[in-house]
């Protein structure tokens, strides 16, 4: 399996190379040259398997010869051993035709753990084999950073630097990043928004001298291996509701478009998905673009769903690449226009996007109302992100086709917003009940490329 860049100018890579690299050298994102297909009988055969067995079957075609079957099985087993639910991604029912896919039973209580725990084990196995060391740099709106630090803490061949917007992540998120004591992990508080953090990370990847000097690797949702890990739960949940004999739809709380893009990949692989619904908060650039073709970031308004406070949605580039018939130069052109303020998706590409994706927006009051309503009618306490999914899903339900809404984080990650909306205080699970007592380690840094690079060079000079 070979991987190509969405901008068409970077070298074609193997799975292992694409994983260790993250962002392509032409600024693009890697995608498989061809998307493997699973026959209905192969999909049906996933029924009743453990999550790990299903994960192996869904992801195996993408790995090529990077790992033997036995190695890959062991990697998957280690990745999901720290989850606290035997099903890993259990489904619960919210209403007659509406199901919630709980993706928050991993070590940092958000769906990011599904990909990050796997990628930690993949990196460890690959680097040990070739005796290399890498420096992982990532930007986070809260959950990616905590998941990355948790997945890589204490690993030998990896340093991790996570840039987060100071004062704009929840206290639980911040503590999950700042309390691990291992000295290979570093939480950097940047003055600015998530989009600033993400822009600085992209700048570092485009500074080839720095990139090569420190052995930069990316684990943001642009990393293909992360998208791949997320494809699995679309299969396991759909199969448990009757796929491939029955169609299902998904609604996905969306920011960087990584999670929903994994759903699109599942569909392309042959999973019978009727609709993929993008749910946004008040930072609704994706909803607007999917409605009227205009993609113009106009500033982030902080919300109670901070992990979705995003206006530059990096994985959307992958969807554009597909919508433009895999024309890398067309995508490169759009990204140039984005630097100058925004772009308009062509009529043909918009039509292709709309064939695959629906979208909806949920404002702050609607988010709180969805938390309260769901608590009152089902006893399920939703985090604000998941509540946005539930609100938008309810607008897109059709008879017969079951709707699966992705619950992307545990309510205890956002206790203030959840309590205000529902009157219920969501307790932390027992394995992290002492989080508020652990001591913190944070480095403040200017929103300046030079300052950030200097700091990383100093800390990685072993
Ligand atoms: C990251 C995140 C999202 C958005 O997912 P994307 O893949 O960036 O679209 C939604 N909810 C929560 C809780 C998250 O952590």
């Amino acid at each position: 399996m070979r991987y190509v860049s969405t901008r068409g100018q970077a070298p074609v890579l193997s799975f292992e190379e694409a994983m260790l690299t993250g962002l392509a050298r032409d600024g693009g994102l890697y995608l498989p040259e061809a998307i493997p297909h699973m026959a209905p009988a192969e999909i049906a055969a996933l029924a009743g398997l453990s999550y790990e067995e299903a994960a192996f079957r869904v992801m195996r075609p993408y790995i090529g010869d990077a790992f033997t079957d036995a190695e890959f099985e062991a990697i998957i087993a280690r990745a999901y051993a720290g989850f606290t639910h035997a099903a890993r991604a259990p489904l619960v029912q919210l209403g007659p035709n509406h199901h919630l896919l709980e993706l928050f039973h991993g070590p940092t209580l958000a769906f990011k753990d599904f990909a990050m725990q796997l990628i930690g084990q993949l990196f460890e196995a690959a680097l040990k084999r070739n005796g290399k060391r890498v420096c992982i740099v990532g930007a986070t709106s809260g959950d990616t950073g905590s998941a990355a630090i948790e997945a890589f803490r204490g690993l030998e061949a990896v340093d991790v630097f996570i840039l987060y917007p100071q004062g704009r992540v929840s206290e639980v998120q911040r503590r999950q990043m700042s309390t691990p004591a291992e000295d290979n992990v570093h939480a950097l508080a940047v003055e600015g928004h998530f989009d600033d953090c993400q822009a600085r990370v992209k700048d570092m990847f485009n500074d080839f001298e720095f990139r090569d000097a420190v052995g930069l690797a990316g684990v943001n949702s642009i990393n293909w291996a992360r998208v791949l890990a997320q494809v699995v739960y679309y299969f396991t949940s759909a199969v448990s509701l009757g796929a491939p004999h029955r169609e299902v739809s998904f609604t996905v709380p969306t920011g960087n478009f990584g999670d929903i893009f994994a759903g699109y990949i599942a569909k392309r692989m042959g999973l019978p998905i009727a609709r993929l619904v993008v749910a946004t908060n008040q930072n609704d650039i994706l909803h607007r673009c999917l409605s009227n073709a205009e993609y113009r970031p106009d500033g982030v308004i902080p919300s109670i769903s901070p992990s979705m406070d995003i206006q530059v949605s990096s994985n959307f580039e992958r969807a554009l690449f597909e919508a433009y018939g895999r024309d890398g130069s067309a995508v490169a052109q759009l990204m140039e226009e984005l630097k100058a303020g925004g772009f308009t998706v062509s009529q043909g590409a918009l039509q292709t996007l709309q064939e695959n994706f629906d979208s909806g927006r949920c404002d702050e009051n609607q988010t709180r109302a969805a938390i309260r309503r769901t608590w009152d009618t089902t006893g399920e306490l939703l985090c604000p992100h998941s509540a946005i999914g539930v609100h938008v899903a309810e607008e897109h339900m059709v008879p017969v086709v079951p709707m699966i809404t992705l619950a992307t984080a545990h309510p205890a990650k956002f206790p203030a917003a959840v309590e205000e909306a529902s009157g219920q205080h969501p307790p932390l699970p027992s394995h992290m009940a002492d989080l508020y007592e652990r001591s913190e380690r944070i480095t403040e840094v200017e929103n300046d490329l030079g300052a950030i690079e200097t700091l990383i060079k100093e800390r990685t000079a072993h």
Side-chain angles (χ1 to χ4, degrees):
M1 173 74 66
R2 297 175 353 132
Y3 290 81
V4 297
S5 163
T6 50
R7 300 198 193 168
Q9 298 295 316
V12 173
L13 300 182
S14 69
F15 173 79
E16 182 172 334
E17 291 165 331
M19 171 185 85
L20 292 174
T21 305
L23 194 67
R25 286 182 99 90
D26 59 3
L29 283 64
Y30 278 105
L31 270 174
E33 210 166 37
I35 295 171
H37 196 261
M38 280 179 82
E42 291 176 283
I43 297 173
L46 299 176
L49 297 184
S50 69
Y51 187 85
E52 285 81 349
E53 287 173 305
F56 178 84
R57 294 195 191 182
V58 171
M59 294 191 288
R60 185 71 191 86
Y62 292 91
I63 305 296
D65 57 6
F67 302 101
T68 65
D69 285 358
E71 284 170 336
F72 193 43
E73 274 168 6
I75 284 168
I76 293 171
R78 285 195 297 274
Y80 298 115
F83 281 57
T84 54
H85 197 297
R88 309 310 182 216
L91 271 180
V92 301
Q93 197 160 356
L94 294 181
N97 214 11
H98 194 182
H99 302 261
L100 191 74
L101 181 57
E102 291 186 347
L103 299 176
F104 50 68
H105 297 285
T108 70
L109 311 181
F111 83 89
K112 305 286 196 305
D113 288 324
F114 277 89
M116 211 59 90
Q117 287 292 322
L118 183 77
I119 235 188
Q121 297 303 327
L122 288 168
F123 265 66
E124 171 92 329
L127 292 168
K128 264 191 183 161
R129 186 169 56 196
N130 54 30
K132 280 197 193 147
R133 186 172 185 89
V134 296
C135 173
I136 288 171
V137 173
T140 188
S141 54
D143 294 326
T144 297
S146 43
I149 284 178
E150 184 63 36
F152 287 94
R153 61 193 288 188
L155 296 190
E156 274 165 36
V158 185
D159 293 294
V160 179
F161 295 85
I162 297 297
L163 281 60
Y164 72 89
Q166 181 158 33
R168 297 184 196 280
V169 299
S170 82
E171 184 173 2
V172 173
Q173 291 174 321
R174 189 193 73 232
R175 287 182 169 276
Q176 286 179 335
M177 293 190 276
S178 63
T179 57
E182 290 83 355
D183 59 12
N184 71 322
V185 294
H186 311 265
L188 307 185
V190 178
E191 246 177 65
H193 285 281
F194 168 70
D195 287 335
D196 297 309
C197 298
Q198 183 158 261
R200 294 299 78 73
V201 168
K202 281 201 171 169
D203 292 344
M204 282 186 254
F205 273 92
N206 289 323
D207 179 349
F208 293 144
E209 202 183 311
F210 174 77
R211 179 173 179 163
D212 295 334
V214 300
L216 213 57
V219 296
N220 263 84
S221 61
I222 52 178
N223 191 305
W224 168 254
R226 278 191 54 191
V227 175
L228 176 59
Q230 293 167 184
V231 175
V232 175
Y233 47 69
Y234 286 89
F235 276 92
T236 57
S237 58
V239 166
S240 67
L241 291 182
H245 315 295
R246 181 159 79 145
E247 281 195 319
V248 300
S249 291
F250 288 92
T251 300
V252 185
T254 296
N256 247 332
F257 213 82
D259 208 3
I260 189 135
F261 191 76
Y264 168 80
I265 294 291
K267 183 172 180 171
R268 288 280 303 271
M269 288 177 74
L271 189 65
I273 297 176
R275 303 304 304 165
L276 285 163
V277 185
V278 174
T280 76
N281 66 16
Q282 61 195 7
N283 296 297
D284 60 352
I285 187 166
L286 288 166
H287 173 53
R288 284 183 281 129
C289 181
L290 289 167
S291 309
N292 66 17
E294 293 294 312
Y295 192 93
R296 253 164 249 291
D298 56 2
V300 168
I301 310 164
S303 76
I304 57 171
S305 46
S307 304
M308 293 160 63
D309 286 345
I310 289 172
Q311 288 275 302
V312 181
S313 181
S314 31
N315 276 291
F316 192 50
E317 180 167 339
R318 288 191 162 110
L320 290 168
F321 183 62
E322 298 294 350
Y324 277 83
R326 296 204 149 205
D327 178 351
S329 58
V331 173
Q333 170 70 31
L334 295 178
M335 295 303 135
E336 276 308 310
E337 291 171 30
L338 180 58
K339 280 188 200 152
F343 57 81
T344 307
V345 178
S346 75
Q347 219 33 56
L350 181 65
Q351 203 182 331
T352 306
L353 286 169
Q354 289 175 341
E355 279 162 18
N356 289 295
F357 301 102
D358 288 328
S359 66
R361 163 194 213 272
C362 178
D363 69 23
E364 299 286 270
N365 285 331
Q366 290 167 326
T367 307
R368 284 186 278 262
I371 293 174
R372 166 163 284 283
R373 180 170 72 246
T374 306
W375 168 256
D376 286 346
T377 57
T378 69
E380 179 87 11
L381 207 45
L382 298 173
C383 91
H385 312 76
S386 310
I388 287 166
V390 165
H391 173 91
V392 172
E394 285 170 354
E395 293 176 342
H396 286 82
M397 301 267 298
V398 293
V400 187
V401 182
M403 177 63 83
I404 300 173
T405 297
L406 274 53
T408 50
H410 191 286
K413 255 190 138 163
F414 306 92
V418 171
E419 187 162 358
E420 192 200 332
S422 66
Q424 299 298 315
H425 180 75
L428 280 169
S430 55
H431 66 95
M432 52 178 68
D434 67 340
L435 187 65
Y436 289 91
E437 278 98 66
R438 300 181 199 162
S439 65
E440 292 192 81
R441 199 164 50 97
I442 297 170
T443 307
E444 289 179 19
V445 59
E446 263 175 88
N447 176 17
D448 174 76
L449 182 64
I452 298 168
E453 289 187 346
T454 303
L455 185 136
I456 292 176
K457 275 193 190 148
E458 282 168 11
R459 298 249 180 119
T460 52
H462 292 280

